[in-house]
Amino acid sequence: MLFLRFSRVGLNLYSLPDFDFAQIFIAFIVLLFSLTIHEAAHAWTADALGDPTARTLGRVSLNPIVHIDWIGTVLFPLLTMLTPLRFLIGWAKPVPVNVARLRHKRRDYVLVAAAGPGSNLALAVVAAGALKLIPVSPVTLGHANVTVPIASILSRALQLNVLLALFNLLPIPPLDGGNVLGGLLPRALGSRYDTLIRPYGFILLYALMLTDGLDYVLFRPASILLSWLR
């Protein structure tokens, strides 16, 4: 079964055995953990750079509950994993940022936006390193073997976080990459880019999803990065 997940914070495409509940559970836990780290990174960076909005709301936290949108983060992914559906639109609760309270508004907003994908890349590197360090023993009937489920979790974490990071770095608002690009461009050009592209951001994303566009801008780069990390 192909599982395609698109949300405000990411997209994941991988194969899951149909109704393999162990793999479904692993995939969901890895997804939840990865989204939590992503949102917490946004919140922590904004707080460190002068905007306490996220901290006031309790978002500088690794507690998944504070970042979950119960429909978009829990219900829709589980329904997709448990049914033959191939496309899923979902979302995590966005971290609010008051740009006016950042010490260096444009520069710091770029750093806040980049923190989410950066955290996913860091998780992918950690997962890849752990996979190389953990020897996976063959499964023997009647003998406990914890290395196989650990390797499965790490493999899911590696693949999913690479895809989350690269998808979010696409230069299309409202993705993080669009906010990063808007802040890096000269002020007038960045403002014009945001004005022209942001209203059509989701249309562009849908167009990429429903065509071969994602193959070129996401899956092929992800495959290259995964080959380097493995």
Side-chain angles (χ1 to χ4, degrees):
M1 176 177 70
L2 286 179
F3 171 41
L4 177 62
R5 185 181 191 285
F6 161 63
S7 76
R8 295 178 192 176
V9 290
L11 180 148
N12 185 29
L13 175 65
Y14 54 84
S15 295
L16 283 175
D18 288 332
F19 301 107
D20 185 332
F21 289 101
Q23 291 300 315
I24 288 171
F25 178 76
I26 288 173
F28 178 73
I29 294 300
V30 170
L31 175 65
L32 184 60
F33 177 75
S34 301
L35 295 182
T36 296
I37 295 292
H38 182 108
E39 296 299 336
H42 283 312
W44 181 87
T45 306
D47 184 61
L49 295 176
D51 176 24
T53 304
R55 178 174 291 279
T56 301
L57 296 173
R59 301 296 300 278
V60 184
S61 171
L62 294 179
N63 178 3
I65 300 299
V66 303
H67 303 294
I68 283 176
D69 180 291
W70 289 102
I71 294 177
T73 313
V74 178
L75 180 61
F76 282 6
L78 287 177
L79 286 176
T80 300
M81 293 177 189
L82 294 170
T83 66
L85 295 175
R86 291 177 179 269
F87 290 95
L88 169 67
I89 299 173
W91 54 91
K93 191 187 300 182
V95 169
V97 179
N98 186 346
V99 179
R101 304 186 74 172
L102 296 173
R103 286 189 284 272
H104 304 281
K105 295 179 178 58
R106 297 191 78 227
R107 184 204 70 182
D108 290 353
Y109 190 60
V110 168
L111 294 176
V112 172
S119 70
N120 293 124
L121 283 176
L123 285 172
V125 170
V126 170
L131 275 171
K132 292 177 181 178
L133 294 174
I134 296 176
V136 180
S137 305
V139 177
T140 304
L141 187 64
H143 294 272
N145 187 341
V146 298
T147 61
V148 172
I150 290 175
S152 180
I153 292 171
L154 291 172
S155 180
R156 292 288 182 197
L158 171 59
Q159 185 186 43
L160 189 148
N161 278 283
V162 164
L163 287 165
L164 281 174
L166 295 184
F167 179 73
N168 275 283
L169 287 174
L170 294 177
I172 302 174
L175 298 180
D176 296 324
N179 294 326
V180 169
L181 179 60
L184 291 177
L185 291 171
R187 189 179 299 272
L189 185 58
S191 178
R192 184 168 179 79
Y193 172 81
D194 191 70
T195 301
L196 289 174
I197 302 298
R198 187 172 294 274
Y200 308 103
F202 281 108
I203 296 175
L204 292 173
L205 292 174
Y206 277 120
L208 288 173
M209 289 173 60
L210 298 173
T211 65
D212 293 332
L214 281 182
D215 185 45
Y216 295 99
V217 302
L218 177 62
F219 296 123
R220 293 188 184 185
S223 296
I224 294 171
L225 183 53
L226 285 168
S227 69
W228 292 345
L229 291 172
R230 285 172 173 161

